[in-house]
Amino acid sequence: MSVKLIAVDMDGTFLNDNKEYNRARFAELYAQMKEQGIRFVVASGNQYFQLISFFPEIAHEISFVADNGGWVVSEEKDTFNGELTKQQFNTVIDHLLTLPHVDIIACGKRNGYTLKSYDDAFITMARSYYHRLELVENFSNLDDIFFKFALNLPDSLLDDTMTSLSEILDGVMVPVTSGHGSIDLILPGIHKANGLRILQEKWGIDDSEVVTFGDGGNDIEMLRQAKYGFAMANAPEKIKQIASYQAGHCNQQGVLDVIEKVLKKEAPFNA
């Protein structure tokens, strides 16, 4: 069974800690992937407009599972959108605004939205993840399609906040960790693995022909779904236990090393 799809998370996985990757090496590997008919998918919690900025030469011909599966774009074609109803949006926002230590980004199709009143350090950090970020007075009457909330909070409050959000927003949204001091609220069942499933159905690709790479809680479903799920060496222990395989560190081009093995049909891809 040959590999037909490779899906990568970005932060802490495909990108190193400086948010960079070896472009020359990847370009060579990508040319070989195309020759072998292997599709390349970027599956990230990040905004679509942010993700395409990393792949200016090939964004038009690859696919993106953006906003943790909330928005799937394939070869520049809109393929799938999750969407919160106005009522669900308000339910979530009304609760989040009662949490004093949480900064909120409402993730819409056109923009990310966050409050002008938040401190500059947070807004600067948010801009590094959201190519399109609008500063608003409040979250009421925003006209967009919303599929995710990104929350920033002190690390010490992470576990308790995850637990309480799971209970309070049960059935409306699911909290997943997406890195230090950050929680993404996603629509139930609308995760990265769901986005990949949509693309696999479109292309007729089985889970046994898929390689995925990730390092965080929002990668769990896609690491489990693919036959070849690789946790990064820098991933937390619980993520490594879920994945069937392990790749090298994100700062040492761990993903590119494994892609090279895929292309050369080396173990475990030679079965």
Side-chain angles (χ1 to χ4, degrees), residues 151-165:
L151 313 179
N152 185 61
L153 63 160
D155 276 355
S156 57
L157 301 177
L158 203 61
D159 291 345
D160 287 349
T161 307
M162 283 282 287
T163 305
S164 70
L165 287 173

Side-chain angles (χ1 to χ4, degrees), residues 63 71-75 77-81 198-199 202:
S63 299
W71 189 7
V72 180
V73 180
S74 181
E75 295 161 30
K77 290 188 184 67
D78 221 330
T79 305
F80 172 79
N81 266 126
I198 289 164
L199 293 170
K202 176 177 154 72

Side-chain angles (χ1 to χ4, degrees), residues 132-260:
R132 295 188 185 180
L133 185 70
E134 198 174 304
L135 303 183
V136 294
E137 297 290 347
N138 56 58
F139 290 110
S140 49
N141 303 317
L142 297 177
D143 180 25
D144 207 335
I145 291 171
F146 290 95
F147 28 65
K148 196 188 90 171
F149 293 93
L151 313 179
N152 185 61
L153 63 160
D155 276 355
S156 57
L157 301 177
L158 203 61
D159 291 345
D160 287 349
T161 307
M162 283 282 287
T163 305
S164 70
L165 287 173
S166 294
E167 290 165 9
I168 291 161
L169 300 177
D170 186 38
V172 183
M173 298 203 91
V174 180
V176 293
T177 52
S178 56
H180 292 289
S182 54
I183 294 174
D184 277 353
L185 291 176
I186 62 174
L187 290 156
I190 308 295
H191 40 57
K192 294 181 185 184
N194 184 65
L196 289 181
R197 196 175 293 122
I198 289 164
L199 293 170
Q200 287 173 232
E201 283 172 8
K202 176 177 154 72
W203 298 324
I205 294 175
D206 190 77
D207 291 344
S208 63
E209 302 167 311
V210 177
V211 184
T212 56
F213 297 89
D215 73 314
N218 57 348
D219 299 313
I220 289 172
E221 292 88 358
M222 76 169 183
L223 290 174
R224 281 186 171 144
Q225 180 170 293
K227 179 179 177 183
Y228 302 105
F230 281 81
M232 304 306 291
N234 47 282
E237 202 49 50
K238 65 175 188 196
I239 305 299
K240 290 178 183 170
Q241 284 169 7
I242 282 154
S244 304
Y245 300 93
Q246 195 173 311
H249 198 287
C250 69
N251 288 340
Q252 277 135 23
Q253 303 181 35
V255 169
L256 299 186
D257 289 345
V258 175
I259 290 178
E260 211 159 84

